[in-house]
Amino acid sequence: MLDISNLSVQAGKFTLSKISLTVEEGACCILLGKSGAGKTVFLEALAGRYPIKEGRIVWNGTDITFLPPEKRQLSLVYQDYALFPRMTVAENIAFPLKSAGKKKKFYRERTEMMLESFSLVRVAKQYPETLSGGEQQRTALARALITEPKLLLLDEPMSALDCVTREKVTKLLHDLHKSCKTTIIQVTHDFEEARAFADVFAVIQNRTLSQKCTKDKLLSMRKEDVYALLDQ
């Protein structure tokens, strides 16, 4: 499981304090909160992109609090995809394995598999600027998943997509989650998305994690009740 205890993070002038959260292995935790509450900072701290002032991050019994990002066995997908503009779709997807020094035969086979899985074969040789929003998102997810991370961090990955594309990408992500048993922490403002996907959800407000509910609890709540939590 992922066990975060009393985590405090300094990101410039912004501070998150005393965050504690437990997520069972293979579960999906949906993270809710107002804009500016610190959701992205929290994900980046888990990914090792900000120094930890105090507290611990333990992943499956291993303390990863001070491990470098490349040794944490996790991937982070941003809202804006963060694709490399001068690399093709295939090159973007292959990049994590190639930069890790994996053999060409291995990363090419894995890349072909991800292109197939995410329906990107047709655009494999295209550059990000020529892609639709949905294609960019699928490329970002394929790149994140090619390393088979044990923990996947998603920062509002569906927010820029149209409704049809969002449904397709959400279904694909759900199917992969079920088949690969990857633990997911996903930031979203979409209440229905949270209800459909979450095993547990948590609310960040006042620069700390102030609420955690199970799926059963979430299903029993009205949308207005959740928004009331965010407004407190």
Side-chain angles (χ1 to χ4, degrees):
M1 67 173 64
L2 176 68
D3 187 14
I4 302 160
S5 56
N6 294 315
L7 196 70
S8 293
V9 183
Q10 185 75 44
K13 296 181 179 180
F14 187 87
T15 302
L16 283 175
S17 300
K18 302 293 183 183
I19 288 186
S20 294
L21 177 66
T22 299
V23 182
E24 296 292 333
E25 185 176 6
C28 176
C29 175
I30 294 291
L31 195 62
L32 301 169
K34 285 185 172 181
S35 296
K39 303 181 296 298
T40 299
V41 170
F42 175 59
L43 295 187
E44 290 180 325
L46 295 184
R49 301 188 181 182
Y50 289 114
I52 305 302
K53 291 178 64 180
E54 61 178 318
R56 293 203 314 157
I57 307 169
V58 177
W59 172 239
N60 282 347
T62 300
D63 191 331
I64 66 169
T65 310
F66 301 109
L67 279 183
E70 65 273 14
K71 293 187 177 181
R72 296 191 179 208
Q73 290 189 304
L74 57 80
S75 292
L76 171 59
V77 180
Y78 285 101
Q79 180 177 354
D80 61 359
Y81 319 132
L83 299 175
F84 300 113
R86 296 184 181 180
M87 291 184 184
T88 65
V89 167
E91 289 168 341
N92 262 283
I93 294 171
F95 179 79
L97 294 182
K98 189 175 180 179
S99 62
K102 301 297 182 182
K103 292 183 178 180
K104 184 180 289 188
K105 183 175 184 294
F106 175 74
Y107 72 69
R108 281 186 171 176
E109 287 177 351
R110 288 283 301 164
T111 300
E112 288 175 7
M113 185 177 73
M114 299 309 286
L115 287 168
E116 287 272 358
S117 297
F118 284 86
S119 301
L120 292 166
V121 174
R122 182 179 58 82
V123 297
K125 295 182 179 180
Q126 292 183 210
Y127 290 89
E129 65 179 11
T130 70
L131 305 177
S132 68
E135 289 165 343
Q136 290 184 48
Q137 183 57 283
R138 296 202 304 275
T139 302
L141 287 168
R143 184 180 63 185
L145 290 166
I146 195 170
T147 59
E148 299 182 306
K150 303 300 182 184
L151 177 60
L152 183 60
L153 310 176
L154 302 172
D155 190 7
E156 297 192 66
M158 313 300 174
S159 62
L161 304 181
D162 61 78
C163 292
V164 174
T165 305
R166 178 186 294 218
E167 286 183 10
K168 290 180 179 178
V169 174
T170 299
K171 183 180 185 306
L172 177 61
L173 185 58
H174 290 192
D175 290 344
L176 285 167
H177 171 57
K178 289 179 181 178
S179 61
C180 299
K181 306 298 183 185
T182 301
T183 305
I184 293 176
I185 299 181
Q186 178 176 338
V187 170
T188 183
H189 287 288
D190 189 322
F191 177 69
E192 295 307 323
E193 186 175 294
R195 286 171 62 117
F197 200 15
D199 296 300
V200 63
F201 87 100
V203 177
I204 286 186
Q205 54 190 177
N206 301 321
R207 301 194 176 189
T208 191
L209 194 143
S210 62
Q211 185 85 15
K212 178 183 172 183
C213 294
T214 63
K215 186 178 185 72
D216 289 342
K217 175 71 172 177
L218 179 60
L219 290 173
S220 70
M221 296 175 73
R222 299 174 303 162
K223 184 184 296 188
E224 293 78 12
D225 297 330
V226 177
Y227 289 156
L229 284 176
L230 302 182
D231 290 334
Q232 287 176 6

